[in-house]
């Protein structure tokens, strides 16, 4: 059974050897063998396998110069290690390198060769087989290039735990260690590249892009990661298409139609050069320009795409390139390649033929007929240049430096350096095994592997724990996913002014180690758009929303397609394309353009505004007039008019009016806490003091004239001290209300933001409207009582309290304050204070004018009326009116009583005052006395009643005429003796002069 298995494996190995003849591999013996997988060709020729005969291996076509350079990098690294005295001394590394032809099938053929050899060695068949050409097992594989190919290879190698170190496969799927147990790589994960692409789009403020991806394990995961990053950045994708180098023409046409009709100018491409080439050719044929291509590292520097004839279409390409490394001596090694000197490299002959467009005659595969398959095209990394069906023979003396090919482009060694690093990673893992100290090893009980019998899985174990410093001084260690974290260079395609070729200008870099937001650096001054422009192209679904507006969603459209909506009042946006408007702070409001916030307008009843100035002038006018009246009353304080008005209470009344006018000034100016707490109490107390004075004055005179016979009790009640006490008590009630108000709910300054959005009204918050109501209500109550007494005393002598004027002033007071209530409730802001000031001034002016202006007019302009006789005449007239009414009442009562007793007409009462229907004088005087009255100053009054008229004549003489005065006095005394009413009348006549 063992022999049978050996035979099967040998047959399998023989089949692989037949498929890969000497010219299709690079092979060198050594103590330890490393495998290699490189894309020496871009693809395979399409061949219909009808299975009528044994299937043949497909032919590889389109030579890849850069793939051959990568192969050379592996050979150079192995030879450099073999010649190193410190790295693996006394050990020789060999290699077996195969061409994958950029296809999975060819890669798996080569991988089976590695696996089969390892299986033969594991069976230990040396005792059964005499294998003089025995090749040791392949303990590690360097490759492959494409992620799709590496995925297939990794699945197979992982079954046998053969370590695979890729130099160009960046798919993030390969980081899954559960599926790809033995896969490692020296290229960064595509996850960082997709993030970097999204960062670039965000940097240039693009939000409307299309995506194209290769339909394989490289393109699909890469573009999926980009979509995730784009969604986080609010970048919208207009279209998303999959391509392949094997897509038919109809599929390519359909993708091109989508690109042509799209409004997105930026196209993100995750693809390799061969997969992208058919699409680019069709786009060039249709001359679709103006697009910006964002290239992944697999084609960003591909000479298959970066061709001068394509530049007008893809000249705006920005792509990612791996960080370039340095390989000392590699340039000279590349120049030494020659078919006759490269016995171990079966690919050297074909390379020579493709480079110089000739053929080497010693080999049927290199005959002119066979070279017809080598079309002179390349993968995105290099291509041949021969297109003729027949080539001249090679001389072997051609100079490799005289021909420009991607093979000699060693200015930026990226993939080549990754190959170099992969070989050194395996070598350092072997070095760790070679130098392992028993007891400190990585295996069971600290044991070490035997370097002479090392197995693949042991090398994999050491690779996972690898840590060394490369030739550039950088630390190399694989993370838990088998990845090396690296940085990217950002390149922009330029057209060389020298030879017209496409050059890759480095315009920035992406540092994956930096903090988020600081990883990307771009020098915009170096970027040329479409090969010549410095202006960044526009690739947005909608035009930018200017500051002062925000993005508004359009129903049914992606979020990147929006309309610009003006920010509402009170909100602003100071940036372009704002998603939302920000609210202004409480004390600020948006400006006219809504681009910033400005302080809100502050409003209060100011001293400087016209309205405030007018109110202030009226208040000052009121203070001046009141002060003037007070000055007049003070100067003429001993005149009858002033005496008759109770001058002490008049002084207090004028002082209260001064306080009323002054209190209005507290309502003007910016409200402060102290002014708010002072103005209402000042107004309330001032008006109560004023109304109290008027009330006491009116009530005192009314009591005097209503009393029948004055007594000592009356005189005590009417005394000045009691009058002031009454005023104090009335005012004290208001003071108590104010104190309670200020203690329980003191008013305060208040910034009102709610009345108008753009204005802050500084007002006084009254603290308690109930307290304010009590204050005004109590004032109005006193005013109502005062109005009652004034109305009742409206017929008293006008020299005392001018009842009709007080009544009118109280009417004005009520009208003002009744109107104030709805006006106060309906206004807001500074007009609240203005309404109250107007009410205070109107009420104060009404009281001042009605009570004092008539007296001031008499004092200043009618001094003849400001005499004792004038005052007494007025008082006596009132007294006689009262007495006459009383006499008539008694007469009517007596007459009715007489009629009821017997029809007697009755006699008139015994009185010196009588009524006559014929207007006869009820006080006939002698002729001599009548003449004397005509010579003296006197007054004459007629008092009309319902049943007649009483004529009253009074005369007063100067002091030198005392005799006449005495006679008149005697006469009045006789009259007083006749009736007690006459005594009261005399008292009232003399009262003003007391």
């Amino acid at each position: 059974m063992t022999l049978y298995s050996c035979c099967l494996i040998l047959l399998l190995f023989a089949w692989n050897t037949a498929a890969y003849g000497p010219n299709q591999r690079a092979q060198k013996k050594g103590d330890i063998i490393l495998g290699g997988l490189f894309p020496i060709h871009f693809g395979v020729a399409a061949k219909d396998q009808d299975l009528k005969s044994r299937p043949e291996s497909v032919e590889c076509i389109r030579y890849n110069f850069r793939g051959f350079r990568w192969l050379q990098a592996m050979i150079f690294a192995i030879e450099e290690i073999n010649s190193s005295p410190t790295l693996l001394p006394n050990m020789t590394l060999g290699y077996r390198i195969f061409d994958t032809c950029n296809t999975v099938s060819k890669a798996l053929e080569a991988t089976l060769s590695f696996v089969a050899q390892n299986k033969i060695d594991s069976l230990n068949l040396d005792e059964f087989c005499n294998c003089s050409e025995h090749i040791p097992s392949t303990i590690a594989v360097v490759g492959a290039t494409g992620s799709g190919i590496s995925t297939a290879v990794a699945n197979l190698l992982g079954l046998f735990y053969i370590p695979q170190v890729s130099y160009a496969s960046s798919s993030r799927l390969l980081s899954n260690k559960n599926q790809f147990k033995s896969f490692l790589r020296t290229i960064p994960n595509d996850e960082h590249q997709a993030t970097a692409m999204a960062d670039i789009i965000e940097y240039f403020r693009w939000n409307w892009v299309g995506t194209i991806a290769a339909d394989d394990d490289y393109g699909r995961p890469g573009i999926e990661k980009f979509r995730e990053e784009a969604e986080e950045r609010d970048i919208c994708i207009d279209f998303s298409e999959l391509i392949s180098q094997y897509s038919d023409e109809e599929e390519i046409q359909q993708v091109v139609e989508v690109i042509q009709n799209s409004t997105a100018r930026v196209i993100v491409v995750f693809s390799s050069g061969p997969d992208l080439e058919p699409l680019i050719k069709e786009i060039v044929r249709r001359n679709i320009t103006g697009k910006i291509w964002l290239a992944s590292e697999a084609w960003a520097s591909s000479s298959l795409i970066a061709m001068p004839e394509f530049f007008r279409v893809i000249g705006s390409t920005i792509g990612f390139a791996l960080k370039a490394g340095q390989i000392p001596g590699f340039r000279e090694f590349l120049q030494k390649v020659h078919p006759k000197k490269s016995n171990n490299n079966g690919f050297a002959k074909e390379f020579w033929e493709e480079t110089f467009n000739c053929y080497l005659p010693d080999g049927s595969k290199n005959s002119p007929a066979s070279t017809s398959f080598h079309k002179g095209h390349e993968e995105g990394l290099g291509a041949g240049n021969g297109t003729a069906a027949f080539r001249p023979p090679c001389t072997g003396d051609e100079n490799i430096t005289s021909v420009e090919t991607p093979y000699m482009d060693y200015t930026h060694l990226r993939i080549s350096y990754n190959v170099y690093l992969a070989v050194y990673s395996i070598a350092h893992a072997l070095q760790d095994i070679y130098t392992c100290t028993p007891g400190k090893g990585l295996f069971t009980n600290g044991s070490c592997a035997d370097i002479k019998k090392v197995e693949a899985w042991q090398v994999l174990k050491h690779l996972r724990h690898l840590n060394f410093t490369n030739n550039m001084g950088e630390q190399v260690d694989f993370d838990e996913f088998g990845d090396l974290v690296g940085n990217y260079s950002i390149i922009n395609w330029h057209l060389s002014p020298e030879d017209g070729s496409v050059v890759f200008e480095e315009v920035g870099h992406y540092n994956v180690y930096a903090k988020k937001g600081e990883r990307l650096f771009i020098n915009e001054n170096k970027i040329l758009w479409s090969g010549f422009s410095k202006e960044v192209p526009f690739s947005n679904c909608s035009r930018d929303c200017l500051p002062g507006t925000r993005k508004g969603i359009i129903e049914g459209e992606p979020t990147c397609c929006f309309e610009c909506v003006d920010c509402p009042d009170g909100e602003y946006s100071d940036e372009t394309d704002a998603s939302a408007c920000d609210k202004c702070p409480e004390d600020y409001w948006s400006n006219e353009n809504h681009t910033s916030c400005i302080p809100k307008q502050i409003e209060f009843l100011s001293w400087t505004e016209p309205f405030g100035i007018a109110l202030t002038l009226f208040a000052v006018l009121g203070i001046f007039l009141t002060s003037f009246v007070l000055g007049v009353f003070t100067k003429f304080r001993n005149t009858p008019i002033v005496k008759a008005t109770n001058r002490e209470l008049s002084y207090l009344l004028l002082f209260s009016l001064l306080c009323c006018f002054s209190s209005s000034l507290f309502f003007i100016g910016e409200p402060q806490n102290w002014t708010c707490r002072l103005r209402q109490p000042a107004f309330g107390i001032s008006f109560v003091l004023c109304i109290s004075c008027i009330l006491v004055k009116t009530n005192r005179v009314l009591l005097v004239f209503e009393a029948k016979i004055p007594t000592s009790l009356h005189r005590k009640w009417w005394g000045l001290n009691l009058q002031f006490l009454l005023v104090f008590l009335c005012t004290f009630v208001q003071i108590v209300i104010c104190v309670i108000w200020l203690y329980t709910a003191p008013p305060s300054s208040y910034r009102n933001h709610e009345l108008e959005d753009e204005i802050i009204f500084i007002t006084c918050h009254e603290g308690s409207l109930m307290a304010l109501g009590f204050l005004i209500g109590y004032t109005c109550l006193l005013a109502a009582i005062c109005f009652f007494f004034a109305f009742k005393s409206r017929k008293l002598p006008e020299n005392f309290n001018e009842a009709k004027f007080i009544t009118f002033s109280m009417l004005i007071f009520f009208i003002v304050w009744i109107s104030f209530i709805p006006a106060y409730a309906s206004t807001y802001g500074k007009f609240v204070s203005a309404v109250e000031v107007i009410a205070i001034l109107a009420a104060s002016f009404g009281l001042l004018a009605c009570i004092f202006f008539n007296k001031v007019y008499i004092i200043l302009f009618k001094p003849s009326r400001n005499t004792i006789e004038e005052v007494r005449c007025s008082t006596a007239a009132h007294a006689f009116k009262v007495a006459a009414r009383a006499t008539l009442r008694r007469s009517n009562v007596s007459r009715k009583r007489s009629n009821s007793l017997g029809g007697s007409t009755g006699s008139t009462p015994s009185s010196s005052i009588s009524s006559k229907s014929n207007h006869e004088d009820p006080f006939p005087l002698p002729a001599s006395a009548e003449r004397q009255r005509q010579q003296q100053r006197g007054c004459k009054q007629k008092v009309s009643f319902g049943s007649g008229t009483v004529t009253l004549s009074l005369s007063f003489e100067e002091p030198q005429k005392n005799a006449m005065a005495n006679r008149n006095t005697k006469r009045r005394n006789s009259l007083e003796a006749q009736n007690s009413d006459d005594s009261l009348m005399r008292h009232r006549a003399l009262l003003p002069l007391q």
Side-chain angles (χ1 to χ4, degrees):
M1 184 65 182
T2 304
L3 183 61
Y4 176 73
S5 300
C6 174
C7 292
L8 284 178
I9 295 174
L10 288 175
L11 286 174
L12 178 62
F13 182 71
W15 181 79
N16 277 278
T17 303
Y20 284 86
N23 292 329
Q24 292 179 302
R25 71 174 63 183
Q27 181 172 304
K28 183 180 180 181
K29 294 181 179 181
D31 299 323
I32 297 174
I33 300 298
L34 303 184
L37 297 173
F38 294 92
I40 308 303
H41 295 85
F42 289 128
V44 295
K47 187 175 182 180
D48 185 18
Q49 300 287 356
D50 56 7
L51 301 181
K52 291 181 180 180
S53 60
R54 181 184 295 275
E56 298 179 0
S57 180
V58 292
E59 188 74 25
C60 296
I61 59 173
R62 302 171 64 195
Y63 194 79
N64 182 1
F65 285 100
R66 293 187 69 186
F68 183 69
R69 170 152 54 88
W70 301 339
L71 180 149
Q72 289 286 80
M74 180 175 176
I75 295 175
F76 174 78
I78 290 175
E79 291 185 0
E80 191 175 64
I81 292 169
N82 288 337
S83 61
S84 172
T86 58
L87 190 59
L88 295 177
N90 303 320
M91 297 292 294
T92 302
L93 295 180
Y95 52 83
R96 295 175 65 209
I97 303 174
F98 297 99
D99 180 11
T100 63
C101 298
N102 202 37
T103 59
V104 173
S105 60
K106 286 293 184 181
L108 287 178
E109 288 182 27
T111 306
L112 285 173
S113 175
F114 301 141
V115 173
Q117 183 63 49
N118 285 24
K119 198 62 179 174
I120 291 174
D121 287 351
S122 67
L123 294 175
N124 195 15
L125 298 177
D126 289 343
E127 55 182 300
F128 300 100
C129 302
N130 184 13
C131 301
S132 59
E133 298 295 327
H134 172 67
I135 299 176
S137 300
T138 303
I139 54 91
V141 176
V142 177
T145 306
S147 295
I149 297 173
S150 287
T151 299
V153 171
N155 279 318
L156 183 55
L157 293 178
L159 294 175
F160 304 96
Y161 291 93
I162 300 175
Q164 175 189 358
V165 184
S166 176
Y167 49 85
S169 300
S170 55
S171 172
R172 61 176 183 152
L173 297 180
L174 292 167
S175 295
N176 185 352
K177 293 299 105 179
N178 292 326
Q179 184 176 358
F180 308 105
K181 302 177 180 64
S182 62
F183 181 83
L184 302 98
R185 53 186 162 191
T186 57
I187 186 173
N189 189 326
D190 274 340
E191 189 163 350
H192 300 295
Q193 186 176 189
T195 304
M197 284 182 167
D199 286 344
I200 286 181
I201 293 174
E202 186 179 34
Y203 176 86
F204 288 111
R205 304 181 64 84
W206 297 324
N207 64 11
W208 190 236
V209 301
T211 63
I212 296 174
D215 192 10
D216 56 22
D217 289 340
Y218 170 73
R220 288 192 302 269
I223 213 66
E224 181 183 351
K225 175 62 178 178
F226 170 78
R227 288 197 197 98
E228 295 173 2
E229 295 291 335
E231 186 176 353
E232 292 181 4
R233 294 165 173 78
D234 293 328
I235 299 170
C236 298
I237 298 176
D238 184 28
F239 63 87
S240 186
E241 300 292 335
L242 295 175
I243 59 172
S244 172
Q245 62 176 319
Y246 303 111
S247 299
D248 56 35
E249 186 176 350
E250 184 179 351
E251 293 174 341
I252 295 297
Q253 294 282 354
Q254 184 179 357
V255 175
V256 173
E257 288 287 344
V258 172
I259 294 173
Q260 191 170 16
N261 296 330
S262 173
T263 56
R265 295 189 62 187
V266 175
I267 301 175
V268 180
V269 182
F270 254 96
S271 173
S272 63
D275 289 325
L276 184 62
E277 183 188 19
L279 179 67
I280 295 298
K281 285 183 177 180
E282 181 61 25
I283 291 175
V284 171
R285 189 185 69 82
R286 295 196 184 192
N287 195 28
I288 302 175
T289 59
K291 301 296 182 181
I292 303 146
W293 300 84
L294 194 54
S296 64
E297 50 81 25
W299 73 274
S301 57
S302 169
S303 57
L304 186 65
I305 308 299
M307 300 178 67
E309 54 267 32
F310 296 164
F311 190 79
R312 72 178 188 275
V313 170
I314 55 175
S316 295
T317 298
I318 292 181
F320 290 87
L322 301 174
K323 182 180 178 182
Q326 298 177 0
I327 307 177
F330 187 52
R331 176 180 180 182
E332 292 75 14
F333 180 79
L334 292 177
Q335 294 175 353
K336 292 178 181 178
V337 65
H338 195 280
K340 296 180 180 180
K341 299 179 181 179
S342 303
N343 296 326
N344 297 320
N345 192 344
F347 301 104
K349 291 182 180 181
E350 188 177 359
F351 164 75
W352 199 265
E353 290 176 338
E354 293 295 336
T355 301
F356 299 105
N357 197 22
C358 62
Y359 75 93
L360 294 171
D362 57 338
S364 60
K365 291 186 80 69
N366 294 315
S367 63
S370 64
T371 56
S372 61
F373 288 104
H374 306 310
K375 300 294 185 180
H377 300 288
E378 57 176 290
E379 191 214 13
L381 309 172
N385 52 19
T387 58
F390 298 97
R391 297 174 176 175
C394 301
T395 63
D397 297 328
E398 292 86 357
N399 185 2
I400 193 67
T401 60
S402 64
V403 180
E404 291 186 4
T405 63
Y407 172 76
M408 294 300 297
D409 184 11
Y410 45 77
T411 53
H412 297 93
L413 299 177
R414 294 185 173 93
I415 301 296
S416 298
Y417 184 76
N418 284 353
V419 174
Y420 181 81
L421 190 59
V423 175
Y424 265 87
S425 297
I426 298 171
H428 277 278
L430 294 171
Q431 178 71 12
D432 291 342
I433 296 174
Y434 183 81
T435 59
C436 178
T437 302
K440 296 182 180 179
L442 300 177
F443 304 104
T444 306
N445 300 324
S447 60
C448 298
D450 186 358
I451 190 63
K452 295 182 180 180
K453 296 180 180 181
V454 65
E455 297 184 35
W457 65 272
Q458 295 171 328
V459 178
L460 177 60
K461 178 69 172 179
H462 278 271
L463 279 171
R464 290 178 178 177
H465 295 82
L466 183 66
N467 192 333
F468 73 99
T469 304
N470 62 14
N471 66 322
M472 296 178 62
E474 298 173 344
Q475 201 72 19
V476 178
D477 60 330
F478 296 101
D479 62 17
E480 58 181 326
F481 303 109
D483 299 336
L484 285 183
V485 180
N487 299 325
Y488 291 99
S489 296
I490 300 173
I491 59 174
N492 180 222
W493 290 13
H494 291 186
L495 203 60
S496 174
E498 300 174 356
D499 56 6
S501 63
V502 178
V503 294
F504 310 119
E505 181 71 22
E506 186 170 337
V507 296
H509 61 265
Y510 187 82
N511 184 2
V512 298
Y513 297 100
K515 295 187 296 184
K516 189 175 182 180
E518 300 178 1
R519 297 173 181 172
L520 180 67
F521 169 77
I522 293 180
N523 187 350
E524 292 189 51
N525 295 325
K526 290 185 177 181
I527 298 178
L528 292 179
W529 305 101
S530 299
F532 60 88
S533 176
K534 288 284 187 180
E535 183 181 356
V536 178
F538 180 82
S539 183
N540 294 48
C541 183
S542 302
R543 284 289 174 182
D544 294 344
C545 288
L546 299 176
T549 62
R550 64 170 178 85
K551 295 187 290 187
I553 298 175
I554 302 176
E555 188 174 355
E557 295 290 336
T559 56
C560 299
C561 301
F562 50 82
E563 58 183 352
C564 296
V565 181
D566 291 335
C567 291
D569 292 337
E571 297 183 8
Y572 75 101
S573 66
D574 56 0
E575 59 183 14
T576 304
D577 275 349
S579 298
C581 299
D582 298 323
K583 286 189 176 182
C584 290
E586 188 179 23
D587 292 343
Y588 289 80
W589 193 249
S590 56
N591 61 359
E592 184 177 356
N593 297 326
H594 299 280
T595 56
S596 63
C597 291
I598 56 177
K600 286 184 178 181
Q601 181 181 349
I602 304 295
E603 279 208 6
F604 52 85
L605 189 59
S606 172
W607 299 100
T608 57
E609 64 175 293
F611 197 27
I613 293 173
L615 294 177
T616 303
L617 290 177
F618 276 109
V620 171
L621 176 63
I623 294 173
F624 171 76
L625 291 177
T626 305
S627 301
F628 175 75
V629 172
L630 182 60
V632 170
F633 267 55
T634 303
K635 182 177 180 181
F636 297 95
R637 59 184 175 279
N638 293 320
T639 60
I641 289 292
V642 176
K643 286 183 176 182
T645 57
N646 198 339
R647 61 188 174 191
E648 288 78 8
L649 282 180
S650 296
Y651 293 156
L652 186 59
L653 177 59
L654 288 170
F655 171 75
S656 66
L657 286 175
L658 280 175
C659 293
C660 290
F661 283 113
S662 300
S663 68
S664 65
L665 297 177
F666 290 114
F667 292 83
I668 305 174
E670 181 177 354
Q672 304 290 337
N673 286 336
W674 68 273
T675 57
C676 290
R677 292 168 185 170
L678 183 62
R679 65 181 192 173
Q680 296 291 7
F683 140 72
I685 294 172
S686 300
F687 264 95
V688 165
L689 180 62
C690 177
I691 301 299
S692 299
C693 292
I694 298 173
L695 177 62
V696 170
K697 281 185 59 177
T698 306
N699 187 44
R700 172 180 176 272
V701 175
L702 183 64
L703 288 174
V704 169
F705 280 94
E706 290 295 329
K708 301 300 181 180
I709 299 176
T711 63
S712 60
L713 180 62
H714 285 136
R715 292 187 180 93
K716 182 179 181 180
W717 180 258
W718 296 330
L720 188 61
N721 292 334
L722 186 59
Q723 296 175 37
F724 281 113
L725 178 62
L726 291 176
V727 171
F728 171 76
L729 290 176
C730 292
T731 307
F732 181 74
V733 175
Q734 186 76 305
I735 293 174
V736 171
I737 293 174
C738 293
V739 170
I740 295 174
W741 181 9
L742 294 178
Y743 181 77
T744 57
S748 59
S749 177
Y750 173 63
R751 300 171 72 89
N752 195 329
H753 300 266
E754 300 174 357
L755 298 177
E756 291 189 20
D757 294 328
E758 67 276 13
I759 300 176
I760 299 176
F761 291 98
I762 303 181
T763 59
C764 284
H765 186 272
E766 302 300 349
S768 173
L769 291 178
M770 182 179 293
L772 179 62
F774 275 117
L775 184 141
I776 297 177
Y778 178 70
T779 305
C780 292
L781 175 63
L782 290 181
I785 297 172
C786 184
F787 175 79
F788 171 75
F789 285 119
F791 181 79
K792 190 173 181 181
S793 60
R794 65 188 183 280
K795 295 181 180 180
L796 293 180
E798 64 180 20
N799 287 337
F800 284 87
N801 65 342
E802 302 80 28
K804 60 182 178 181
F805 294 113
I806 292 178
T807 303
F808 187 63
S809 69
M810 290 298 103
L811 286 175
I812 294 175
F813 185 88
F814 278 120
I815 291 172
V816 167
W817 290 107
I818 290 174
S819 302
F820 164 78
I821 294 173
Y824 185 87
S826 60
T827 54
Y828 61 89
K830 65 181 181 181
F831 300 106
V832 174
S833 298
V835 165
E836 193 161 358
V837 170
I838 292 173
I840 293 172
L841 293 179
S844 301
F845 274 113
L847 293 173
L848 179 66
C850 292
I851 296 176
F852 292 103
F853 281 5
N854 183 48
K855 294 181 177 57
V856 171
Y857 174 78
I858 293 174
I859 292 173
L860 296 180
F861 302 105
K862 298 291 184 178
S864 60
R865 295 179 57 184
N866 190 13
T867 61
I868 296 175
E869 291 80 5
E870 186 70 18
V871 173
R872 284 180 175 176
C873 178
S874 175
T875 306
H878 177 76
F880 277 112
K881 288 179 183 179
V882 173
R885 288 192 187 95
T887 301
L888 288 176
R889 280 196 301 272
R890 285 193 298 271
S891 175
N892 290 334
V893 170
S894 299
R895 189 178 298 113
K896 291 178 181 179
R897 188 179 300 166
S898 299
N899 291 335
S900 64
L901 292 176
S904 176
T905 59
S907 58
T908 60
S910 176
S911 174
S912 58
I913 301 176
S914 61
S915 63
K916 292 181 66 178
S917 60
N918 295 326
H919 304 284
E920 294 179 358
D921 190 356
F923 300 103
L925 296 176
S928 60
E930 182 65 24
R931 284 192 299 270
Q932 276 186 334
R933 187 182 68 176
Q934 297 297 330
Q935 295 174 359
Q936 296 170 350
R937 281 187 347 186
C939 61
K940 189 172 184 178
Q941 293 281 348
K942 287 185 177 181
V943 182
S944 299
F945 301 97
S947 59
T949 301
V950 175
T951 302
L952 171 67
S953 296
L954 295 174
S955 62
F956 305 96
E957 295 180 350
E958 298 296 330
Q960 62 267 22
K961 299 177 181 180
N962 290 332
M964 181 63 68
N966 291 334
R967 286 194 298 270
N968 290 337
T969 300
K970 290 178 180 180
R971 185 175 181 180
R972 284 196 297 272
N973 291 338
S974 64
L975 291 174
E976 292 170 1
Q978 296 176 6
N979 196 300
S980 61
D981 290 339
D982 297 340
S983 175
L984 177 63
M985 178 183 67
R986 184 177 68 85
H987 169 75
R988 292 169 179 166
L990 296 176
L991 182 64
L993 305 178
Q994 292 178 356

